[in-house]
Amino acid sequence: MLAKISTTWKLLLKPLGPEILFSSLKSIRSFPHSPSHLGLMHKHEHLLRKTTKNFKIATTTLQSTLLLLLFVPLIKPAPPTQQNLRIIYDYGTDNSEETLFTQDYEDKYLDVKNIKEKEAMIRLDEKSHQLQKDESFTPLPPKKENDEMPTCLLCVCLSGSVYCEEVDIDAVPPLPKESAYLYARFNKIKKLTAKDFAEIPNLRRLDFTGNLIEDIEDSTFSKLSLLEELTLAENQLLKLPVLPPKLTLFNAKYNKIKSRGIKANTFKKLSNLSFLYLDHNALESVPLNLPESLRVIHLQFNNITSITDDTFCKANDIRYIRDRVEEIRLEGNPIVLGKHPNSFICLKRLPVGSYF
């Protein structure tokens, strides 16, 4: 086969010369051919350039190339693909151009492969992220109907004392179990119940001044065995509840309490009670059975119209002296104290009020 190519080449080489054949070979490259044919032409063209230095080698190479060109028109070119249309084949004149051509195919192949791998990794990462999100997601517990802001965020908690003053609460907030003092002044509380203090046994002082309290359950303070001071001033009370036994101060001034709203034995067993403030109410008489321990009794500005010999003293015991009483105020009542001289014979000091 090679001998036939050489013979054909020699026949053409003699009348045309190597330069004409070489130029013809370059022009034929512009025709559309399959990548395999173009690659083969490029190889022979490159070899042809080298034959200018060595005529014998060039003769053999050109003969084979010419034979190839004679058969090229008879071969149907491969249909171009979308990828081939985008690639501009620029075959060079040395081995470096062929290397670039091959490298370009390899780079594009690697690029496509890398893109697919990255897409696969992204999908995998998204699935993993979603799985972690699903695993880490913990459904919130259902909100309870009575859930409110924690007391020590709404109020001020300090060493057993809770200060809930002027925070517009309308009920006693849940208190820490160690609470001993509660100051809930100037709010909008309307009612006190036993549940409000059921789990706070160590309370010693309660102050509800300036609220809207109208009703207090009788058992509200019954279990507060350590409670010493109870202030219910400036509310809307009509009656008094059962009071705890160790109370030393009770303040219910500026309410609407009437005499029928105070039971006969309300104060009788309060052996430690020293300060009683019931001024500025609607009392028609002095409460009964006031304990011997009282030092200060404020009953001014009520509707008290009468007193008896047993109100502060003991009618059957002329030697009896109420020596602990330091102050009794009865001014602002429609009673004339001078008409009841025997009502104060056991006192060291006369009550403050009108005697004429």
Side-chain angles (χ1 to χ4, degrees):
M1 182 66 180
L2 185 58
K4 292 180 180 181
I5 293 173
S6 299
T7 304
T8 305
W9 180 256
K10 288 178 180 180
L11 292 175
L12 294 174
L13 183 61
K14 288 180 180 181
L16 299 177
E19 295 295 330
I20 295 175
L21 292 176
F22 183 75
S23 62
S24 299
L25 181 62
K26 291 177 63 179
S27 63
I28 291 173
R29 279 196 312 146
S30 62
F31 297 153
H33 300 286
S34 66
S36 60
H37 294 152
L38 291 175
L40 184 59
M41 288 169 62
H42 171 71
K43 291 181 180 180
H44 286 292
E45 180 182 347
H46 178 67
L47 293 175
L48 180 59
R49 288 180 180 276
K50 291 184 178 181
T51 58
T52 56
K53 296 180 181 181
N54 191 330
F55 180 74
K56 290 183 179 181
I57 299 174
T59 300
T60 304
T61 304
L62 289 175
Q63 288 175 353
S64 61
T65 302
L66 182 58
L67 181 61
L68 176 63
L69 293 176
L70 293 175
F71 287 97
V72 164
L74 301 177
I75 301 174
K76 185 178 180 180
T81 62
Q82 186 177 359
Q83 183 178 3
N84 293 333
L85 291 176
R86 292 196 301 265
I87 301 173
I88 301 176
Y89 299 100
D90 187 10
Y91 297 97
T93 57
D94 53 18
N95 288 332
S96 63
E97 292 181 350
E98 182 179 1
T99 303
L100 290 174
F101 175 79
T102 305
Q103 186 66 34
D104 184 65
Y105 267 105
E106 294 176 355
D107 290 343
K108 290 183 179 296
Y109 172 77
L110 292 175
D111 288 343
V112 174
K113 183 177 180 181
N114 290 336
I115 290 173
K116 292 182 178 179
E117 291 178 353
K118 289 180 179 179
E119 290 177 350
M121 292 178 64
I122 290 173
R123 289 194 295 269
L124 182 60
D125 184 69
E126 289 177 350
K127 291 181 180 179
S128 177
H129 179 71
Q130 183 65 33
L131 181 60
Q132 292 178 359
K133 185 178 180 180
D134 294 341
E135 291 177 351
S136 61
F137 175 76
T138 302
L140 295 175
K143 185 177 180 180
K144 297 180 181 179
E145 294 182 358
N146 296 327
D147 280 352
E148 297 179 355
M149 183 181 294
T151 302
C152 291
L153 292 179
L154 179 66
C155 307
V156 177
C157 300
L158 182 63
S159 300
S161 299
V162 180
Y163 299 86
C164 292
E165 299 176 329
E166 297 183 271
V167 291
D168 291 335
I169 55 176
D170 56 6
V172 177
L175 300 175
K177 291 185 177 181
E178 66 276 9
S179 299
Y181 306 95
L182 172 62
Y183 302 91
R185 297 181 291 191
F186 307 108
N187 288 290
K188 299 178 181 179
I189 300 172
K190 294 183 178 181
K191 185 177 182 179
L192 298 180
T193 66
K195 293 181 180 180
D196 294 333
F197 313 105
E199 298 180 0
I200 319 295
N202 297 322
L203 283 170
R204 295 178 180 273
R205 182 183 300 162
L206 292 175
D207 192 343
F208 291 99
T209 301
N211 280 273
L212 304 173
I213 301 173
E214 298 177 349
D215 184 32
I216 301 176
E217 292 182 1
D218 278 343
S219 60
T220 298
F221 309 114
S222 59
K223 294 184 179 180
L224 300 180
S225 59
L226 300 179
L227 189 64
E228 296 176 351
E229 297 182 14
L230 176 59
T231 299
L232 300 171
E234 301 177 37
N235 282 281
Q236 306 295 324
L237 290 174
L238 297 175
K239 62 180 182 177
L240 296 183
V242 176
L243 300 177
K246 291 188 177 181
L247 209 60
T248 61
L249 181 149
F250 179 68
N251 185 347
K253 63 182 180 180
Y254 287 96
N255 278 276
K256 300 178 180 180
I257 303 171
K258 295 184 177 182
S259 293
R260 64 174 178 269
I262 301 177
K263 296 178 180 180
N265 296 326
T266 298
F267 300 106
K268 185 176 183 179
K269 296 181 179 180
L270 302 183
S271 58
N272 295 322
L273 186 63
S274 297
F275 303 91
L276 177 61
Y277 302 98
L278 290 173
D279 53 281
H280 295 87
N281 277 281
L283 299 175
E284 297 87 8
S285 60
V286 176
L288 300 175
N289 298 314
L290 294 178
E292 297 286 335
S293 59
L294 280 171
R295 294 170 55 191
V296 175
I297 305 172
H298 283 190
L299 298 171
Q300 69 270 27
F301 298 99
N302 279 280
N303 291 323
I304 299 174
T305 57
S306 64
I307 55 175
T308 66
D309 294 346
D310 291 323
T311 300
F312 300 107
C313 302
K314 295 180 180 180
N316 298 328
D317 189 356
I318 58 175
R319 297 181 180 180
Y320 172 75
I321 298 177
R322 187 183 282 268
D323 56 355
R324 294 186 181 182
V325 174
E326 299 175 0
E327 182 181 66
I328 297 177
R329 294 184 60 176
L330 289 169
E331 75 271 20
N333 285 281
I335 185 174
V336 179
L337 298 180
K339 295 181 178 181
H340 307 279
N342 294 330
S343 298
F344 315 117
I345 60 174
C346 65
L347 302 177
K348 293 182 177 181
R349 297 179 178 85
L350 290 176
V352 177
S354 176
Y355 285 85
F356 302 100

